[in-house]
Amino acid sequence: MSSRIPTTSRRIIETVIILLLLLGLMYALYDVLKVFFGVFTFAIIFAVSFAKLFDRFAVLLGNRRKLAAVLYSILVIAIIALPFIYFAGAFNQHLKQVNMWIADARENGIPPLPSWITRLPYIGNDIADFWQQLQLKPKETAGIYEHQIRSALHHVITTGAGIIGVALQFIAGIIVSAIFLVTGEKLLDPLYLAMMHMFGEKDGRALINAAGVAVKSVAIGVMGTAFIAAIVSWLGFTIAGIPFALGLAALVYFLVLIQVGPLWVWIPLVIWMMAKGSTGWAIFLAIYGGAVVIMDGVLKPILIAKSGKLPFLVLFLGVIGGMVAWGFTGMFKGAIILAVFYTVFNSWLEKTSHYKKTTNSSL
């Protein structure tokens, strides 16, 4: 009885081994590059969104693409990333002031609360009672709330560190996107070849173009809305004489960008103005903040719909579903997934329709 493995079985075993080796290599590649996924995600977003503007800018500079890339990096960092850095710096400054206040309170005792805090609706009396206990028995009162205080401080510190981390990822993504833009479409040649090899020339290009349109639409819609909301909010803060107006505008930019919304800034300001007794300015801030919220809800879908050829519903579902599943970058991932699915589905329908027409004509 021969123990020799048949040729067909040997080929199957060799194919399985090769596939396993490829899977292992892909997993190792993922493990090495996963640290840079955030940076590359932002780089692709910026490169796709600003490709046409960059090409025009490079033409104005006499086709000196490297110089255009340097100026592009400086300009985009100033527009997009600096609000994060400004907010983080201001946040750090406030932490220093808190430390100075704690040191002063240890030496001279805890000062009384500002009157506007005690006049806050619903929570003013509770805060005043807690503050009075803290003044009379600071160690005992702090000991009771030690766990909550530690948890709040940890949350504040991690939030600040997270904002700084996002800002650094943005800056790195902008720089990498400048490298992508210098090379132009040559960078996409291997991707085009791979997609055309797998799906054919027409479908391969259609899929890449659909992904590009999705990224560009979401980037323009989300980032454009956040930037406009921040500018409009800064004007409102300045008119109302709100201190730290630029930092609050940067916070509005960040909250709109991550799809939380500007209400988390405007509502506390309205309550603060009412507690101060400035009813007129409180009404102004309430109306102005409501207009910013409405603008955020209306402007975003308009920009998304006008910036690409894909149906708005496809992009909208991708943005919302992706954000729920994967957070901020999920907006782009979800839009790309639905855009690619929509393109593949339409291609399949066209082929099916063409096949039916060919079959009917032959009959």
Side-chain angles (χ1 to χ4, degrees):
M1 182 176 180
S2 175
S3 60
R4 187 176 180 181
I5 301 175
T7 304
T8 304
S9 300
R10 188 167 63 249
R11 288 178 179 173
I12 292 173
I13 293 171
E14 289 174 354
T15 304
V16 169
I17 292 172
I18 291 171
L19 288 175
L20 289 174
L21 289 173
L22 286 174
L23 287 173
L25 180 62
M26 290 177 66
Y27 178 78
L29 186 64
Y30 164 79
D31 210 29
V32 170
L33 296 179
K34 66 181 179 181
V35 180
F36 305 99
F37 280 173
V39 174
F40 282 123
T41 300
F42 288 127
I44 293 169
I45 291 168
F46 290 126
V48 172
S49 303
F50 297 114
K52 289 186 178 179
L53 288 175
F54 180 84
D55 289 338
R56 292 175 186 172
F57 186 50
V59 170
L60 290 175
L61 294 174
N63 288 323
R64 289 179 288 182
R65 298 184 70 87
K66 291 183 180 179
L67 176 61
V70 173
L71 296 176
Y72 152 84
S73 300
I74 295 171
L75 183 62
V76 177
I77 287 172
I79 294 173
I80 295 177
L82 278 184
F84 288 94
I85 299 173
Y86 182 85
F87 178 73
F91 186 81
N92 183 51
Q93 185 64 30
H94 281 290
L95 283 180
K96 290 180 180 178
Q97 292 176 359
V98 169
N99 289 332
M100 291 173 62
W101 183 90
I102 292 173
D104 183 66
R106 286 177 179 173
E107 292 183 6
N108 305 317
I110 298 174
L113 274 175
S115 58
W116 67 267
I117 295 180
T118 58
R119 292 199 302 266
L120 287 173
Y122 303 111
I123 60 173
N125 292 331
D126 293 335
I127 294 175
D129 292 340
F130 167 76
W131 201 259
Q132 188 175 9
Q133 292 178 12
L134 194 63
Q135 286 178 312
L136 296 173
K137 300 176 181 178
K139 291 184 179 179
E140 292 82 354
T141 306
I144 295 172
Y145 298 97
E146 182 180 1
H147 178 71
Q148 290 87 341
I149 293 171
R150 287 181 180 274
S151 177
L153 287 175
H154 177 73
H155 183 70
V156 167
I157 292 170
T158 52
T159 300
I163 292 173
I164 293 172
V166 171
L168 292 175
Q169 280 195 347
F170 261 75
I171 293 171
I174 291 168
I175 294 170
V176 175
S177 71
I179 298 172
F180 289 167
L181 289 169
V182 167
T183 57
E185 291 192 1
K186 292 180 181 178
L187 187 70
L188 293 177
D189 286 345
L191 184 60
Y192 274 121
L193 290 173
M195 296 298 286
M196 285 189 289
H197 180 72
M198 289 188 290
F199 300 101
E201 183 174 355
K202 180 182 176 182
D203 291 342
R205 286 191 174 273
L207 290 176
I208 293 176
N209 291 335
V213 168
V215 172
K216 182 179 177 181
S217 301
V218 177
I220 291 175
V222 174
M223 293 184 182
T225 303
F227 186 68
I228 294 172
I231 295 291
V232 174
S233 296
W234 175 74
L235 290 174
F237 299 150
T238 304
I239 293 169
I242 301 292
F244 195 52
L246 190 59
L248 289 173
L251 182 59
V252 168
Y253 173 85
F254 177 73
L255 293 177
V256 174
L257 192 65
I258 63 173
Q259 305 303 293
V260 173
L263 279 178
W264 290 96
V265 175
W266 285 97
I267 290 177
L269 288 176
V270 172
I271 296 172
W272 177 62
M273 278 293 185
M274 290 179 65
K276 284 180 64 179
S278 303
T279 308
W281 284 116
I283 294 172
F284 168 78
L285 288 175
I287 296 173
Y288 199 97
V292 172
V293 173
I294 294 172
M295 183 192 70
D296 176 39
V298 173
L299 187 60
K300 191 182 303 172
I302 291 175
L303 290 177
I304 290 175
K306 286 186 173 295
S307 57
K309 297 180 181 179
L310 292 168
F312 168 70
L313 184 61
V314 172
L315 293 172
F316 180 77
L317 292 176
V319 168
I320 301 301
M323 184 183 65
V324 172
W326 298 298
F328 171 70
T329 56
M331 293 187 294
F332 300 92
K333 296 174 185 175
I336 290 172
I337 290 170
L338 278 192
V340 169
F341 173 78
Y342 175 80
T343 304
V344 171
F345 184 70
N346 272 353
S347 176
W348 175 75
L349 286 180
E350 288 177 4
K351 289 179 179 178
T352 304
S353 176
H354 177 72
Y355 174 75
K356 286 182 179 179
K357 288 180 181 178
T358 305
T359 305
N360 290 335
S361 62
S362 63
L363 292 174

